[in-house]
Amino acid sequence: EERRHAIKRDIVFVMEVFNAFDHTQRRRQVARKWRFPRLLELDIQCGDLKTTLSWATPRLQMLRTGGLLTPSTMFSSVATLQFEISSLTTCENLLLFAASLLNLSDLHLSFTSGRMGSLEELHLPLSLCSSVTCLRLLLHWDDNFALTEEDNGCIAAFLCALRIPNLVRYCVSMVV
């Protein structure tokens, strides 16, 4: 647990440096903003990292993450989102985030852990994703992850909150 906390702290530091946060003064530098004009794909795998990115990425097409990202103009060009879902909190944040991606056409969701939570705890916002035409669901199954009735209910509630009126392709897979 201590090692995980140290790694998370290091990731936060790196992300803040890229966001022009001055750790010596504990404030954001206004003059420096990172620009990645050719960046097409971004992969941020940092679990429950909560940070706002402020990079200039006008050509970003694919975003892979499992973290909690704040909607931003940085993601306005994203067409493909690959997201790893591990909890109800992740579900709630994903619904809000996906609705902010106006050019999103491919949504790839991976449920990676059991015990999503209790249906009583579930307060999912409706998320209209009218630009999405392809939805892929991937359920990972192993000895540590077996879907219970309650998990099935949480996944079903999530899918009901995710409004995709222009869906053309739908794929569900289970990895054993």
Side-chain angles (χ1 to χ4, degrees):
E1 183 63 32
E2 185 177 318
R3 183 172 185 268
R4 177 175 151 73
H5 181 69
I7 291 170
K8 181 179 175 182
R9 187 180 58 242
D10 291 345
I11 291 172
V12 168
F13 173 77
V14 169
M15 298 300 277
E16 287 178 345
V17 168
F18 268 98
N19 279 328
F21 187 85
D22 183 353
H23 279 271
T24 60
Q25 302 294 320
R26 300 295 304 163
R27 63 180 168 77
R28 181 173 294 284
Q29 296 174 352
V30 182
R32 187 176 80 201
K33 181 176 181 180
W34 288 90
R35 298 185 186 281
F36 300 102
R38 295 182 182 165
L39 184 66
L40 297 175
E41 295 185 19
L42 178 60
D43 191 333
I44 302 174
Q45 300 299 327
C46 47
D48 57 354
L49 175 68
K50 296 175 186 172
T51 188
T52 302
L53 304 176
S54 60
W55 310 336
T57 57
R59 296 181 61 206
L60 185 63
Q61 292 293 304
M62 178 181 282
L63 175 62
R64 288 182 203 95
T65 187
L68 305 177
L69 297 175
T70 304
S72 163
T73 56
M74 173 189 164
F75 302 115
S76 62
S77 60
V78 170
T80 302
L81 174 63
Q82 294 180 354
F83 201 94
E84 186 176 298
I85 298 173
S86 58
S87 70
L88 288 178
T89 303
T90 308
C91 288
E92 293 171 22
N93 288 304
L94 170 61
L95 288 168
L96 296 172
F97 184 69
S100 75
L101 301 175
L102 301 179
N103 291 313
L104 184 63
S105 60
D106 292 342
L107 183 56
H108 303 212
L109 304 176
S110 179
F111 290 88
T112 59
S113 70
R115 313 296 79 81
M116 293 295 292
S118 169
L119 282 170
E120 290 82 38
E121 300 171 12
L122 200 59
H123 303 288
L124 297 177
L126 294 181
S127 177
L128 179 61
C129 298
S130 56
S131 62
V132 173
T133 57
C134 176
L135 174 63
R136 296 176 190 268
L137 296 179
L138 180 62
L139 302 171
H140 292 267
W141 188 90
D142 61 30
D143 293 335
N144 298 320
F145 176 37
L147 291 173
T148 65
E149 288 297 321
E150 192 160 42
D151 294 329
N152 288 338
C154 290
I155 293 171
F158 171 79
L159 292 175
C160 287
L162 186 62
R163 304 298 168 110
I164 307 177
N166 296 313
L167 189 64
V168 174
R169 288 178 290 151
Y170 179 55
C171 177
V172 179
S173 303
M174 182 169 278
V175 176
V176 180

